[in-house]
Amino acid sequence: MESVHSQPITIESLKTTVVKKANESVKSDAKESTSESTRADSINMDSFTMAELQQDLGLDSPPDDTVEIPEVFDIKPVILSVHTMIGHSDAVWEMKIHSNGKLLASASADGSVRIWDISNPHTCTIKSTIWYNGFSTGQSGQFVSGTQTPVCLSWYQDLLYVGFKQGGVGVYDIQGQQVKQHLISDTGVLSILALDAVLYCGYESGKLVMYDRSNLEQVLHQSHDAGIESLCSSRGTVVARGISID
């Protein structure tokens, strides 16, 4: 879609535009030079000839008193939404995409973790649903008050690690659709990160614990002043809320 309109431009307004651009250039170079000679207001406007203005504006003939310069805006639509995925009945706390790019896990306050097939973004479907104690096919199953609420997720190959608000971690085999293991804790898990050999859990109490991922036995822990809301890994370093752990 194009919208074209003309705006009258006078010689004085052209000079004002030149000064403005000069000021912008001077500001960008301010760190390199503070000489008074670089100030835009020291520019002699008489040095801008009609020919120069004609050349800068791309006009076929020199402007007389007023010239009409078209302003063209090319507006292109941007698609922000491809598909709305309907499945949860309450707030979604976290979503994590599998490394194969075909599966998406979503944790919700409705007590479930949905496993979505996103291989076709236009027809995303629920493959299975994880509840604290097991799986159900598709979207079946119902949240029971008082059960565990999933709040954070981490994939490791076909295993999905789920941290729960009431405390503890569940390990779920997505392909085999079975519960592999549960880790019990007395405080809520806010963040979780599964790596090759270890599992990091950030707790609401401010405790950061590293477990042996094969058996979920504690290896070490650190304490912080506030809950560990996020965990990430980069080049062998784990960062928890801006605190690096080598």
Side-chain angles (χ1 to χ4, degrees):
M1 175 182 177
E2 288 189 347
S3 174
V4 180
H5 66 275
S6 295
Q7 176 182 350
I9 303 295
T10 65
I11 297 302
E12 289 302 315
S13 66
L14 293 177
K15 291 182 178 181
T16 301
T17 300
V18 172
V19 172
K20 180 179 178 181
K21 289 187 177 296
N23 272 313
E24 291 174 351
S25 176
V26 169
K27 287 179 181 178
S28 66
D29 295 333
K31 292 183 179 180
E32 299 179 5
S33 174
T34 57
S35 172
E36 285 295 317
S37 63
T38 63
R39 293 177 61 242
D41 57 7
S42 68
I43 297 175
N44 181 3
M45 296 310 302
D46 292 338
S47 64
F48 290 89
T49 66
M50 297 294 287
E52 290 172 337
L53 290 175
Q54 175 188 350
Q55 181 178 2
D56 291 341
L57 293 171
L59 300 177
D60 293 333
S61 59
D64 296 326
D65 198 15
T66 299
V67 295
E68 298 291 327
I69 302 175
E71 294 183 353
V72 180
F73 301 93
D74 186 12
I75 302 174
K76 298 180 179 179
V78 177
I79 299 176
L80 300 179
S81 176
V82 174
H83 182 75
T84 300
M85 302 160 64
I86 300 175
H88 289 293
S89 59
D90 208 330
V92 176
W93 297 121
E94 187 162 59
M95 297 185 294
K96 286 292 177 68
I97 297 177
H98 191 281
S99 58
N100 65 15
K102 298 179 180 180
L103 296 176
L104 170 72
S106 58
S108 170
D110 65 12
S112 72
V113 174
R114 310 288 190 190
I115 305 300
W116 304 80
D117 181 351
I118 59 171
S119 54
N120 184 341
H122 297 280
T123 58
C124 299
T125 57
I126 298 174
K127 288 179 63 70
S128 60
T129 298
I130 300 174
W131 306 92
Y132 179 73
N133 287 319
F135 284 76
S136 60
T137 303
Q139 196 173 337
S140 62
Q142 185 175 2
F143 177 66
V144 179
S145 179
T147 60
Q148 299 280 40
T149 308
V151 293
C152 53
L153 307 165
S154 183
W155 287 98
Y156 184 81
Q157 297 179 356
D158 289 332
L159 294 179
L160 182 64
Y161 292 79
V162 182
F164 293 92
K165 179 180 180 181
Q166 291 81 1
V169 173
V171 186
Y172 303 90
D173 181 351
I174 302 304
Q175 292 299 325
Q177 297 210 355
Q178 59 179 330
V179 181
K180 299 289 288 184
Q181 198 171 356
H182 275 132
L183 170 68
I184 307 302
S185 65
D186 57 1
T187 182
V189 181
L190 298 181
S191 55
I192 190 168
L193 177 63
L195 301 177
D196 287 342
V198 297
L199 174 73
Y200 287 93
C201 290
Y203 288 91
E204 190 175 12
S205 62
K207 183 171 61 175
L208 175 65
V209 181
M210 183 176 72
Y211 299 94
D212 183 329
R213 198 179 56 76
S214 64
N215 54 25
L216 295 188
E217 291 185 0
Q218 180 174 317
V219 177
L220 61 83
H221 79 274
Q222 295 182 2
S223 296
H224 303 284
D225 296 333
I228 309 297
E229 296 179 353
S230 63
L231 289 167
C232 65
S233 175
S234 176
R235 298 181 181 179
T237 297
V238 174
V239 178
R241 288 174 54 100
I243 302 170
S244 297
I245 303 145
D246 294 324

